[in-house]
Amino acid sequence: MTTLPLTRTGALRTGALAGPGPRPGVFDELSKRELRRAMLSGIAIPGYQVPYGSREMPVARGWGSGGLQATLALVGEDSRLKVIDQGEDAGVNASNLRRLITEHTGCDEETDTRAADIIQSRHRIPEQPLTDEQILVLQVPNPEPLSGIVREMDEQRRMHAEADYAKMWVRLYEDIVHNGLITAAAGYPVLVGGRYVMTPSPIPRWDVPKMNHSEAITVLSAGREKRLFAIPPHTRVEPLTFDDRPFEVEYTPGAVCRLCGSDDTYLIQEPGEDGTFSAWACSETDFCTRRRTGDAPADVAGRPAELARAVLRRSTREQEATA
């Protein structure tokens, strides 16, 4: 019987114990470790912007490079990854990022939100309530909520350090005075854990209530700005509002999804045959599909539709009282 030399056998055993070698790709292990350390800092201080060394990615900065780096730092070969673009699994951005990540890490693709370990999203939080075994990664184009108020970065840091958000409140008040309501749509400012004001950019206002006391970990990463922040499970996330101006979400009375008939999910308008936007459909394709088969929960995360209806009823009563 032929036996291998001792040195050869020892090398094979050492390689087996070490496991598979690093895959050639776009993100090295040291970079992943830096991102994971930054995420731990963000989880320890909810809403605090943690700087990190953003690497060059196969996508341009501002087009999801931050979310891509955060996801690559989290996924492994045994992970189940779901990637959505504005709620759609088959979108161009979602398909390209999903293919890139799976080829680089060897993880499995997933479209069912309930079965995914890591969910990377652009512009949306899933309607399906997330669990404590899931991580939501959001792509963020602009992580600084004070950028439209003060331009100097030193002043922004000072305001965050001292929790001096008076100018933010003045900005919201001026918006109400000039427009009759707060017009901020994507990136509505929120107070995290009663301490830091952050922007959940670029999700719509509809998704903001889903962040409050969510069971999942939420990581928001901006590759162009080289910052990330996180929200640990069961953290209080409150939209900035005035007592006499309750928080409102996007809502059109009477609008229902033409496919599943839902009126409590985030709906988008679709162009009809004549080119006019007359039809409505669910933004999230997975939840809409499961609603049609009866496999989706009756209550969506955060229940933003009930919040919208309450605001609508309150507004109607005020109009009747002044009539």
Side-chain angles (χ1 to χ4, degrees), residues 206-285:
W206 180 275
D207 288 339
V208 171
K210 302 176 185 178
M211 308 182 79
N212 187 39
H213 291 288
S214 173
E215 294 188 12
I217 296 175
T218 304
V219 177
L220 304 96
S221 180
R224 179 174 52 192
E225 302 296 333
K226 305 179 180 64
R227 301 185 215 171
L228 65 81
F229 40 102
I231 304 175
H234 307 290
T235 299
R236 189 171 75 255
V237 180
E238 304 167 294
L240 299 186
T241 56
F242 297 95
D243 292 340
D244 58 343
R245 293 283 178 173
F247 176 70
E248 301 180 30
V249 300
E250 304 89 339
Y251 183 71
T252 302
V256 296
C257 175
R258 65 176 181 84
L259 298 173
C260 69
S262 172
D263 65 346
D264 62 348
T265 57
Y266 186 70
L267 302 175
I268 57 175
Q269 283 187 294
E270 291 184 337
E273 295 181 357
D274 57 353
T276 60
F277 290 87
S278 56
W280 296 86
C282 291
S283 169
E284 187 185 343
T285 54

Side-chain angles (χ1 to χ4, degrees), residues 37-320:
R37 286 194 294 267
M39 292 178 201
L40 290 174
S41 298
I43 293 172
I45 313 175
Y48 174 72
Q49 299 176 37
V50 183
Y52 67 92
S54 179
R55 270 58 172 182
E56 293 293 337
M57 290 282 107
V59 296
R61 286 177 175 168
W63 292 89
S65 64
L68 176 60
Q69 293 178 69
T71 303
L72 287 173
L74 292 171
V75 297
E77 292 184 351
D78 57 346
S79 300
R80 302 194 66 85
L81 173 70
K82 177 181 173 70
V83 183
I84 55 176
D85 180 4
Q86 301 192 36
E88 185 177 359
D89 293 274
V92 175
N93 181 274
S95 299
N96 289 338
L97 289 179
R98 186 187 305 112
R99 182 171 58 251
L100 174 63
I101 296 170
T102 54
E103 290 179 357
H104 176 68
T105 62
C107 66
D108 294 327
E109 300 180 11
E110 186 57 65
T111 57
D112 191 335
T113 305
R114 301 168 298 180
D117 302 318
I118 300 172
I119 304 165
Q120 178 176 320
S121 175
R122 177 172 176 258
H123 295 176
R124 286 302 316 280
I125 293 178
E127 306 285 3
Q128 173 76 32
L130 303 181
T131 68
D132 56 2
E133 296 181 354
Q134 295 178 309
I135 299 176
L136 174 66
V137 178
L138 292 174
Q139 303 171 202
V140 181
N142 183 14
E144 180 53 72
L146 302 174
S147 60
I149 301 174
V150 292
R151 294 187 176 183
E152 297 79 9
M153 295 184 66
D154 290 341
E155 179 65 9
Q156 294 171 2
R157 295 191 184 100
R158 183 200 66 79
M159 293 173 67
H160 282 299
E162 300 178 3
D164 179 11
Y165 298 120
K167 292 184 179 180
M168 172 68 76
W169 287 103
V170 172
R171 175 71 173 270
L172 296 176
Y173 175 75
E174 291 177 345
D175 200 4
I176 294 175
V177 171
H178 290 292
N179 303 296
L181 73 164
I182 299 176
T183 58
Y188 193 100
V190 296
L191 184 65
V192 182
R195 175 57 180 86
Y196 284 98
V197 167
M198 78 167 203
T199 171
S201 168
I203 64 171
R205 287 180 297 174
W206 180 275
D207 288 339
V208 171
K210 302 176 185 178
M211 308 182 79
N212 187 39
H213 291 288
S214 173
E215 294 188 12
I217 296 175
T218 304
V219 177
L220 304 96
S221 180
R224 179 174 52 192
E225 302 296 333
K226 305 179 180 64
R227 301 185 215 171
L228 65 81
F229 40 102
I231 304 175
H234 307 290
T235 299
R236 189 171 75 255
V237 180
E238 304 167 294
L240 299 186
T241 56
F242 297 95
D243 292 340
D244 58 343
R245 293 283 178 173
F247 176 70
E248 301 180 30
V249 300
E250 304 89 339
Y251 183 71
T252 302
V256 296
C257 175
R258 65 176 181 84
L259 298 173
C260 69
S262 172
D263 65 346
D264 62 348
T265 57
Y266 186 70
L267 302 175
I268 57 175
Q269 283 187 294
E270 291 184 337
E273 295 181 357
D274 57 353
T276 60
F277 290 87
S278 56
W280 296 86
C282 291
S283 169
E284 187 185 343
T285 54
D286 169 58
F287 197 82
C288 183
T289 302
R290 290 193 286 113
R291 267 277 171 93
R292 279 175 277 171
T293 60
D295 194 29
D299 293 335
V300 299
R303 310 184 76 173
E306 294 206 0
L307 174 63
R309 291 167 186 154
V311 172
L312 182 62
R313 288 193 296 267
R314 188 182 301 110
S315 177
T316 302
R317 288 196 300 267
E318 291 176 355
Q319 293 176 1
E320 292 175 350

